[in-house]
Amino acid sequence: LFSGEVVGLEPQYKAGGESRLVVRAFCKLHKATRGKKTRNWKDRTDKQILQEVLGQAPEWKGPEINHRQVEQHNQSDLEFARIRASRLGCFIWTDGDKVMVKRPELDKDSGITFKVFENPNEGHRIKSFSPRMSSSPAVQAVEVRGWDPEKKEAIVKRVSTQPSPLGDKTSSSASGAQAPAVTYNVDNPVWSIEEAQALGEARIQEHGLSYITAEAE
């Protein structure tokens, strides 16, 4: 049912009644929430940085870009790691003893058959499904703009939406509206076109995944 570490026990004793024991446990990432740190790295990739921050080599699926300098400023290790991962469109979670840092595999079919009305008397079934479609996050493209402080020139990269196996249209064309192009100004220095490309892909993915969301019970 759960693979992690027990961090707390709370027995509840009742005279003449039922006694219980509450067990509190977390995945191994809970250690990365303790305390805040300030430190920096030079000439490292995000994979190398997160390996040091999280204490083990993560299973990585994302762009590997070398950064001139990265700073962790008064942040917990998990907070810092999630920010570094999210800017590249990656998510962090644990699978047993492994730490996973990956982008969603939108180019693959999950193979899951989703049924709402079948098997109404089964113990494991969908009780309710509430999808939500919103055209407001749909964009045609994301333009990343940064500044190279050494060459003293702008770094500009435009990334357009791409269709996925979930449908034959992009969110911008499926929404039926004239979707805008969004400019994404990077606060920290962008050192290369490759880094701007990775940031643009992450931001366009974020907009695309917000087109249709759902809640299920």
Side-chain angles (χ1 to χ4, degrees):
L1 294 178
F2 182 81
S3 176
E5 296 182 347
V6 175
V7 298
L9 300 173
E10 300 178 15
Q12 301 171 356
Y13 302 106
K14 291 186 178 180
E18 184 181 41
S19 297
R20 297 183 178 184
L21 176 67
V22 177
V23 180
R24 299 192 181 276
F26 299 97
C27 70
K28 288 193 173 183
L29 287 177
H30 79 92
K31 292 181 179 178
T33 64
R34 299 177 181 178
K36 296 186 177 183
K37 300 175 183 177
T38 298
R39 50 184 171 171
N40 64 75
W41 294 264
K42 293 183 179 180
D43 295 321
R44 300 281 190 88
T45 65
D46 282 294
K47 181 179 180 180
Q48 292 172 328
I49 294 172
L50 294 191
Q51 178 176 347
E52 183 176 339
V53 169
L54 299 176
Q56 67 181 93
E59 186 169 326
W60 179 277
K61 186 172 183 179
E64 294 194 35
I65 301 167
N66 193 69
H67 302 285
R68 302 283 184 86
Q69 183 165 327
V70 174
E71 182 178 2
Q72 178 182 356
H73 179 64
N74 195 32
Q75 297 168 301
S76 70
D77 286 341
L78 185 58
E79 180 184 7
F80 172 75
R82 282 176 169 164
I83 290 176
R84 296 305 304 177
S86 65
R87 74 193 297 272
L88 297 177
C90 296
F91 294 87
I92 298 180
W93 73 96
T94 57
D95 184 2
D97 292 331
K98 295 181 180 179
V99 176
M100 321 293 285
V101 182
K102 292 186 178 182
R103 280 184 173 180
E105 296 180 342
L106 302 179
D107 57 336
K108 296 182 180 180
D109 190 332
S110 67
I112 297 174
T113 302
F114 185 70
K115 298 180 179 180
V116 179
F117 302 106
E118 290 83 350
N119 304 322
N121 298 319
E122 295 294 329
H124 300 286
R125 67 185 190 279
I126 296 295
K127 294 182 178 180
S128 66
F129 178 66
S130 305
R132 182 184 302 108
M133 184 180 70
S134 174
S135 61
S136 59
V139 296
Q140 291 181 341
V142 169
E143 187 175 85
V144 179
R145 303 184 67 89
W147 180 259
D148 188 330
E150 291 185 350
K151 297 180 180 179
K152 293 182 171 55
E153 62 182 22
I155 296 177
V156 181
K157 182 63 179 179
R158 190 182 183 91
V159 180
S160 301
T161 57
Q162 299 293 329
S164 75
L166 299 177
D168 57 356
K169 296 181 180 180
T170 63
S171 58
S172 59
S173 59
S175 63
Q178 185 61 34
V182 175
T183 299
Y184 173 38
N185 293 310
V186 183
D187 297 331
N188 296 320
V190 178
W191 296 100
S192 65
I193 287 292
E194 291 76 18
E195 185 176 4
Q197 172 79 23
L199 296 179
E201 290 175 354
R203 187 53 60 95
I204 206 77
Q205 171 186 285
E206 179 183 342
H207 282 280
L209 291 176
S210 300
Y211 178 54
I212 295 179
T213 57
E215 294 180 3
E217 178 186 1

